[in-house]
Amino acid sequence: MILTTTNTVEGHKVTDYRGIVVGEAIMGANVVRDFFAGVTDIIGGRSGAYESKLQDARDTAMAELEQRAAALGANAVIGIDLDYEVVGDSMLMVSVSGTAVILQ
């Protein structure tokens, strides 16, 4: 399945639009990771724990998007948009949406 943020795929023609598909993932963080991320913020540098959690959430949301597109008979999702939100004090939400299509 082709997944792209663009509205077209070079060398392919959209022959059918199957609808909007969405994938979401909400991941919780834990107190230990929050503590070490806070220390990293104070002394500088990147928070590997949060980056890993963010990657997991993005992968989960993209996989869900792909499954929903496949269920509609699509072979691609175009115009993908990724959104990130913090929910409450310790939850991270990744939402991915796009248009499921059939490419020729």
Side-chain angles (χ1 to χ4, degrees), residues 24-102:
E24 295 134 345
I26 298 178
M27 302 287 193
N30 67 34
V31 174
V32 174
R33 184 173 29 247
D34 288 347
F35 173 75
F36 286 112
V39 170
T40 301
D41 288 344
I42 291 169
I43 62 173
R46 295 171 60 169
S47 173
Y50 274 117
E51 287 177 1
S52 175
K53 200 63 161 169
L54 184 60
Q55 181 66 48
D56 291 346
R58 190 171 42 248
D59 290 346
T60 299
M62 289 295 289
E64 187 175 293
L65 175 93
E66 187 173 348
Q67 289 171 355
R68 290 182 174 168
L72 294 174
N75 64 358
V77 180
I78 60 174
I80 292 177
D81 180 52
L82 289 101
D83 291 311
Y84 303 89
E85 296 289 332
V86 175
V87 179
D89 292 331
S90 62
M91 303 293 279
L92 170 68
M93 180 178 76
V94 177
S95 177
V96 183
S97 62
T99 303
V101 298
I102 294 181

